[in-house]
Amino acid sequence: MSSAIPRSLDVAELVTATPLPTRSAGRWRGLVLPVAGLALWWLLSRLDVVNSALLVSPAKVLETGWAMMASGRLWRALSSSLARELTGFFIGTLSGLVLGALLGLWPRFNRLVGPSFNTFKQISLFAWIPLISVWFGLGDVAKVVFLSLAALIPVVVNTCAGISRTPASLLEVARVYGYTRWQTVTQVVLPSAIPSIFTGVYLALIYSWLATIGAEYLLVSGRGVGNLLIEGSEQFQMDLVIFGMLVIGAVGWSMNAAARSLERRLGRWSGQA
């Protein structure tokens, strides 16, 4: 009497039998939560489960948004916010790249400035608001200074870390081939540090956008998307508040997508270098 011997599991058959999710399916899967949230929002407003003054319908938000776009009010507010954000981002990022490179490449400078910077970065960003408002007022200059600080710290930290973590094997190869200090920095250290540097720039972009809305809330002078939220909350216009929040999220998502696309290109350049 022969006993049945179980056949060993073939990995190739298992992989073939198990369908793998396609990239397009994964992309569509990310829309499940937003669509479900929109449906729940519409249902709650439709059934009057929540006070209509507190939770307006999606149709009302869409109507308010269309009116603001048609009148040009949204574009004026958004352009003001983006102008501040990009100005503060570029100033903070360029300053951070220079300071981070000096800290990573110059040990004496690191010993002199590093401890002070480590103390400086522990101070909460919003703790600078009273001092900035006294020194620079409540206008655009004060907001740009605030945004520059928001962008500066992550760029310095990640630039210094990326340069300091250059593999010793790469530096040894550069020494064997007789690279000058400039060639070592430009052809070995910087390409190796690109992923870390870009992480800092990416964080600076996100932090500066978030700080833009915070600055417009706390330094209320001027025009911007944050001022629309303040106006909506003061006048109890929840449609305006919700529409402003959607605009902020859409702009942040767009920045994230653009930064990820640039990251992939820089990653390929770093690998080739």
Side-chain angles (χ1 to χ4, degrees):
M1 182 176 179
S2 61
S3 59
I5 300 176
R7 187 167 60 90
S8 60
L9 183 63
D10 190 348
V11 176
E13 291 181 7
L14 179 61
V15 173
T16 305
T18 305
L20 297 176
T22 62
R23 181 175 299 181
S24 60
R27 188 182 298 115
W28 286 108
R29 194 175 297 133
L31 296 176
V32 173
L33 186 59
V35 171
L38 182 62
L40 179 61
W41 175 17
W42 177 84
L43 185 63
L44 291 176
S45 62
R46 185 77 173 177
L47 299 177
D48 290 330
V49 176
V50 182
N51 188 346
S52 59
L54 299 177
L55 184 66
V56 296
S57 66
K60 179 62 176 175
V61 174
L62 187 61
E63 178 185 348
T64 299
W66 178 258
M68 292 190 64
M69 288 187 288
S71 65
R73 186 181 173 195
L74 172 64
W75 310 121
R76 289 191 294 270
L78 188 58
S79 61
S80 297
S81 295
L82 287 176
R84 297 187 194 102
E85 195 273 342
L86 292 176
T87 303
F89 166 74
F90 281 117
I91 293 175
T93 298
L94 291 177
S95 303
L97 289 173
V98 172
L99 181 57
L102 289 174
L103 290 172
L105 295 172
W106 194 358
R108 288 185 179 179
F109 186 81
N110 196 336
R111 288 192 295 268
L112 179 65
V113 178
S116 299
F117 175 77
N118 290 331
T119 303
F120 169 80
K121 72 180 182 181
Q122 303 303 323
I123 302 175
S124 171
L125 181 63
F126 288 95
W128 291 99
I129 287 289
L131 197 60
I132 291 175
S133 62
V134 171
W135 286 353
F136 301 100
L138 302 176
D140 286 345
V141 175
K143 294 173 184 176
V144 169
V145 171
F146 181 71
L147 303 182
S148 300
L149 288 177
L152 174 74
I153 295 176
V155 175
V156 174
V157 171
N158 285 275
T159 300
C160 181
I163 291 174
S164 301
R165 293 171 186 167
T166 303
S169 57
L170 295 181
L171 297 176
E172 181 63 22
V173 169
R175 188 188 65 80
V176 170
Y177 279 94
Y179 278 20
T180 64
R181 182 175 178 83
W182 176 251
Q183 288 176 321
T184 301
V185 170
T186 56
Q187 299 181 30
V188 177
V189 176
L190 289 182
S192 173
I194 281 293
S196 182
I197 292 175
F198 187 82
T199 298
V201 174
Y202 170 75
L203 291 175
L205 183 65
I206 300 303
Y207 290 172
S208 58
W209 174 240
L210 297 177
T212 299
I213 307 304
E216 291 173 353
Y217 253 96
L218 299 174
L219 304 170
V220 295
S221 176
R223 182 170 53 197
V225 178
N227 299 96
L228 293 180
L229 297 181
I230 296 174
E231 178 183 339
S233 63
E234 289 178 347
Q235 299 179 5
F236 215 70
Q237 293 180 288
M238 292 299 103
D239 51 337
L240 181 57
V241 173
I242 294 176
F243 178 70
M245 293 173 62
L246 293 176
V247 170
I248 293 170
V251 172
W253 180 89
S254 301
M255 290 182 177
N256 180 76
R260 291 304 184 193
S261 177
L262 181 60
E263 180 184 22
R264 288 191 292 270
R265 295 187 180 186
L266 288 178
R268 288 195 294 267
W269 175 81
S270 176
Q272 292 171 358

